[in-house]
Amino acid sequence: MKPITKPMLLALSFSLLAPLSSFAQEEKPAANPDPWQGFNRAMFSFNDTLDRWFLKPLAKGYKAVMPDPLETGVANIFSNVLEVPNVINGVLQGDFKGAGHDTGRLLVNTTLGIGGLLDVAKYMNLPADEREDFGQTLAVWGVGQGPYLVLPLLGPSTVRDGFGKPIDWYTDPTNYIDHVPTDNTVKGISLLNIRAQLLPLEKNLTGDKYVFIRDVYLQRRAYLINNGSVNDDFGTEEFEEGDFE
């Protein structure tokens, strides 16, 4: 993306926050978090098909050919890069202690950890913290999550998290690589690394895959936003036969 479009993207995202004010309220589970289930299921099916026939086989191949130490090193590098948005969102949320912690990890691992290849910081009383993104920042600012939303290619989200994604893009240092082949390589490896990390979790999928992933996503987001304090109503939703048609 050309540099001039980045500020435009940032301004557009903030300008679109106004409609979200109607969702602003105390953070609590909605009576019906998924009113757009018909659209969401269709989009989920599209994403799942693409994953099953393209991304998942590539991730399996990546995991098969990558030695475990190298795979861990690559994951560490991307984790280190994402300390940058962690710091930015920590500051925006007023969590200066957390932002300082993440800054320390970034500095230590970038220098002593050879650009993040090694997670040296965890041995210096700076363990990896939970990820911070702009969707969480909006929640701290009082913006309600809105309905659950499955985005094409990007997967599970909410209205609030969807509006936060342009800012997440803007704060990700890997999006500022000007050399196209390098940029494509970095993004490809990052995508494979993320998908490969999810492979072991698939054995936990039970029942309706769509409902399972939706509930896990919403509870995970609530956990992150509320710093670990959530009401456990997982799997309690009742569905009618027509919901799956």
Side-chain angles (χ1 to χ4, degrees):
M1 181 173 290
K2 295 181 180 180
I4 193 173
T5 63
K6 295 172 183 175
M8 292 173 60
L9 182 62
L10 183 62
L12 177 61
S13 181
F14 277 112
S15 69
L16 291 175
L17 292 181
L20 277 177
S21 61
S22 61
F23 296 119
Q25 55 188 342
E26 181 182 354
E27 190 72 12
K28 58 184 179 180
N32 178 16
D34 190 10
W36 304 333
Q37 187 168 156
F39 168 84
N40 286 335
R41 280 187 175 275
M43 194 55 61
F44 173 82
S45 179
F46 169 79
N47 290 342
D48 190 54
T49 299
L50 187 64
D51 176 74
R52 185 169 62 252
W53 291 102
F54 178 68
L55 189 55
K56 184 176 180 178
L58 288 178
K60 286 184 174 180
Y62 170 83
K63 198 167 184 65
V65 301
M66 286 283 282
D68 288 344
L70 184 56
E71 184 180 348
T72 299
V74 170
N76 286 343
I77 290 174
F78 286 112
S79 177
N80 186 58
V81 169
L82 291 178
E83 294 291 0
V84 174
N86 284 351
V87 172
I88 294 173
N89 283 289
V91 171
L92 292 175
Q93 294 170 24
D95 181 11
F96 299 109
K97 181 179 179 180
H101 175 97
D102 295 334
T103 299
R105 280 186 53 81
L106 176 63
L107 294 175
V108 169
N109 285 340
T110 300
T111 54
L112 301 181
I114 317 174
L117 183 66
L118 304 174
D119 188 358
V120 179
K122 68 180 180 181
Y123 301 108
M124 301 175 65
N125 201 30
L126 291 169
D129 209 347
E130 297 288 359
R131 291 287 166 224
E132 298 289 344
D133 56 49
F134 198 68
Q136 295 174 57
T137 297
L138 290 175
V140 171
W141 289 355
V143 178
Q145 75 172 19
Y148 178 69
L149 178 64
V150 180
L151 298 173
L153 305 179
L154 299 178
S157 184
T158 61
V159 171
R160 177 179 61 204
D161 292 345
F163 278 103
K165 289 186 184 301
I167 311 302
D168 293 335
W169 186 97
Y170 193 85
T171 58
D172 183 348
T174 63
N175 290 316
Y176 294 87
I177 300 174
D178 291 330
H179 188 251
V180 175
T182 302
D183 182 42
N184 292 337
T185 300
V186 168
K187 284 182 169 55
I189 294 177
S190 175
L191 182 61
L192 291 177
N193 171 67
I194 293 172
R195 186 61 183 89
Q197 291 181 12
L198 294 175
L199 289 174
L201 302 178
E202 293 186 354
K203 64 179 182 294
N204 298 318
L205 289 172
T206 59
D208 186 325
K209 187 176 180 180
Y210 168 83
V211 171
F212 185 93
I213 291 177
R214 181 199 62 196
D215 289 353
V216 167
Y217 176 82
L218 292 177
Q219 285 215 351
R220 174 63 175 167
R221 295 300 291 175
Y223 174 88
L224 293 174
I225 291 165
N226 295 292
N227 296 319
S229 177
V230 296
N231 295 321
D232 186 7
D233 58 353
F234 179 81
T236 60
E237 179 177 356
E238 296 182 359
F239 295 94
E240 298 179 357
E241 183 178 351
D243 291 336
F244 305 98
E245 293 180 354

